[in-house]
């Protein structure tokens, strides 16, 4: 008389042990957010990050300068001698930064020279 | 800071990217404020400090936007035309990328697998973040309630960052076919509105800018 009950139990165990469908792709990790900080120049923009976590960005104010954030510090990347602004575009895994140094030729228009 | 110079006769240049080997790419051109129509630009590389225009596309209005560790260069040619051609440049040869249905596109970054991201018109006047992978162009969509999006960067795992929205922008992470609003992945009440995500590294760290308590600022996100 007990046999059917035992059978049910066996079936339910086997269902639990069977591999189910792939779980849906879990949402991405949660993130902590860090403020890269206001600079003395003004508004800052993040631009690129390398595998070591070094970040390059631009600080915008009366003039604009490239910035390198490394080990929690912000370093201004000053333009070439005689020029009044700089910009950065990318950083590689060795920490080499490329961008430009420039002279304003009219409001909003800049003449740039590639720099590293 | 070192001056990389420009091609002979030019008066403007910019370095847009550098790879692991130190090869630098960008553009060199000329610009005359009194005659803007004469503006020209050529995609260039700097190898050991020596500048050279990319062969085969010289003479056309072009730019180089990014370079990966294999030395593949991503650029745009015929940029003066309403819809320029995004291209990959490898071992001296130019390969045009597929165009989205609406024609216009712009490329921003590529990873070491040769996958490219940017934006383009999926139909007339609707611009979405795009992924070029395996010879195809893929529409990444937009955040809920938004019509516009743009992708800025892709890491070697295929994770893509960018922003979505026209007036109120929110930064996104696109992973495994899903676009996530990064603002929903940071602690509640952080004070941040993450507006644009510009780059992501292979550790999943994301950099960009937005507002913190109403003031503009740069942010760094790290997986928890």
């Amino acid at each position: 008389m007990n046999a059917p009950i035992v059978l049910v139990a066996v079936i339910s165990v086997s269902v639990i042990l069977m591999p189910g469908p792939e779980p849906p792709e879990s949402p991405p990790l949660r993130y902590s957010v860090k403020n890269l900080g206001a600079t003395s120049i003004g508004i800052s923009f993040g631009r690129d990050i390398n595998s070591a976590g070094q970040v390059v960005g631009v600080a915008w104010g009366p003039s604009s300068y490239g910035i390198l954030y490394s080990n929690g510090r912000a370093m201004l990347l000053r333009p070439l001698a005689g020029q009044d602004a700089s910009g950065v575009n990318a950083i590689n895994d060795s920490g080499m930064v490329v961008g430009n140094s420039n002279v304003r030729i009219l409001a909003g228009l800049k003449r740039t020279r590639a720099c590293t | 800071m070192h001056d990389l110079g420009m091609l002979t006769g030019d008066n403007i240049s910019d370095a847009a990217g550098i790879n692991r080997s130190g090869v630098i790419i960008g553009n060199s051109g000329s610009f005359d404020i009194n005659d803007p129509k004469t503006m020209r630009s050529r995609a260039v590389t700097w190898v050991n400090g020596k500048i050279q225009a990319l062969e085969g596309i010289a003479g056309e209005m072009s730019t180089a936007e990014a370079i990966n560790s294999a030395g593949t260069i991503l650029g745009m040619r015929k940029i003066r035309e309403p819809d320029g051609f995004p291209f990959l440049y490898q071992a001296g040869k130019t390969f045009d990328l597929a165009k989205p249905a609406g024609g216009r596109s712009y490329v921003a970054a590529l990873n070491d697998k040769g996958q490219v991201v940017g934006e383009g018109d999926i139909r007339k006047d609707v611009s979405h973040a795009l992924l070029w992978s395996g010879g195809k162009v893929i529409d990444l969509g937009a955040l809920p309630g938004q019509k516009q999006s743009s992708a800025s960067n892709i890491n070697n795992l295929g994770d893509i960052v960018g922003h979505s929205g026209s007036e109120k922008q929110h930064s996104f992470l696109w992973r495994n076919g899903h676009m996530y609003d990064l603002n929903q992945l940071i602690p509640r009440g952080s004070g941040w509105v993450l507006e644009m995500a510009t780059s992501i590294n292979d550790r999943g760290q994301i950099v960009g800018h937005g507002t913190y308590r109403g003031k503009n600022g740069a942010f760094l996100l790290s997986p928890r």
Side-chain angles (χ1 to χ4, degrees):
Chain A
M1 288 298 279
N2 287 343
I5 296 168
V6 171
L7 187 60
V8 167
V10 168
I11 288 168
S12 62
V13 167
S14 69
V15 166
I16 290 165
L17 294 178
M18 263 167 51
E22 285 291 309
E25 193 60 47
S26 57
L29 293 166
R30 307 282 299 178
Y31 288 90
S32 62
V33 54
K34 186 179 172 190
N35 193 343
L36 291 177
T39 61
S40 54
I41 306 283
I43 302 167
S44 60
F45 294 88
R47 187 78 173 81
D48 198 17
I49 183 166
N50 69 8
S51 61
Q54 294 176 301
V55 172
V56 286
V58 176
W60 256 24
S63 188
S64 63
Y65 289 105
I67 311 180
L68 168 66
Y69 301 93
S70 183
N71 298 321
R73 284 191 181 176
M75 188 170 82
L76 283 183
L77 303 173
R78 298 191 182 279
L80 298 171
Q83 302 215 322
D84 55 19
S86 61
V88 291
N89 292 315
I91 181 168
N92 73 3
D93 287 346
S94 313
M96 294 166 76
V97 177
V98 293
N100 57 67
S101 174
N102 53 62
V103 182
R104 267 149 219 270
I105 47 179
L106 270 184
L109 273 174
K110 293 181 291 190
R111 175 169 290 171
T112 64
R113 292 185 75 88
C115 287
T116 187
Chain B
M1 191 177 254
H2 304 281
D3 189 351
L4 287 168
M6 48 193 72
L7 294 170
T8 307
D10 283 353
N11 66 6
I12 189 166
S13 66
D14 194 7
I18 180 167
N19 72 1
R20 210 168 281 173
S21 316
V23 177
I24 297 169
I25 56 91
N27 58 74
S28 174
S30 75
F31 179 69
D32 179 355
I33 187 95
N34 298 312
D35 193 5
K37 279 184 183 167
T38 62
M39 182 177 174
R40 66 166 196 270
S41 168
R42 278 180 286 179
V44 294
T45 61
W46 285 269
V47 181
N48 298 322
K50 195 166 177 281
I51 187 170
Q52 194 172 10
L54 296 195
E55 282 175 36
I57 49 171
E60 291 183 36
M61 188 94 171
S62 62
T63 63
E65 305 288 341
I67 182 168
N68 69 10
S69 60
T72 303
I73 295 167
L74 174 67
M76 294 286 299
R77 61 186 193 91
K78 297 192 173 180
I79 54 175
R80 213 190 313 238
E81 293 178 18
D83 43 339
F85 290 81
F87 66 83
L88 288 176
Y89 187 87
Q90 205 168 24
K93 285 187 177 163
T94 308
F95 305 92
D96 280 327
L97 293 172
K99 289 202 163 202
R104 187 202 66 89
S105 64
Y106 169 76
V107 289
L110 87 163
N111 67 10
D112 289 348
K113 294 175 179 165
Q115 294 175 305
V116 172
V117 294
E119 63 171 72
D121 291 349
I122 53 156
R123 55 181 180 273
K124 197 175 182 299
D125 299 328
V126 181
S127 183
H128 273 185
L130 301 175
L131 164 66
W132 285 262
S133 183
K136 283 187 293 192
V137 54
I138 299 156
D139 177 4
L140 301 185
L143 289 174
Q146 298 290 0
K147 287 181 181 152
Q148 190 271 343
S149 65
S150 178
S152 307
N153 224 313
I154 180 168
N155 70 9
N156 291 321
L157 306 171
D159 294 333
I160 297 165
V161 292
H163 61 273
S164 181
S166 38
E167 283 170 25
K168 275 193 168 179
Q169 295 179 336
H170 271 197
S171 59
F172 71 75
L173 167 68
W174 189 92
R175 177 178 283 180
N176 295 326
H178 191 85
M179 185 181 280
Y180 299 91
D181 186 336
L182 283 170
N183 291 279
Q184 293 173 359
L185 305 178
I186 57 172
R188 279 170 192 272
S190 70
W192 276 96
V193 178
L194 310 176
E195 293 177 349
M196 297 181 88
T198 51
S199 188
I200 180 167
N201 67 12
D202 288 349
R203 285 153 64 181
Q205 293 179 298
I206 296 168
V207 67
H209 49 266
T211 60
Y212 177 67
R213 295 182 179 162
K215 283 188 170 176
N216 290 289
F219 63 78
L220 169 64
L221 304 184
S222 298
R224 287 207 283 171

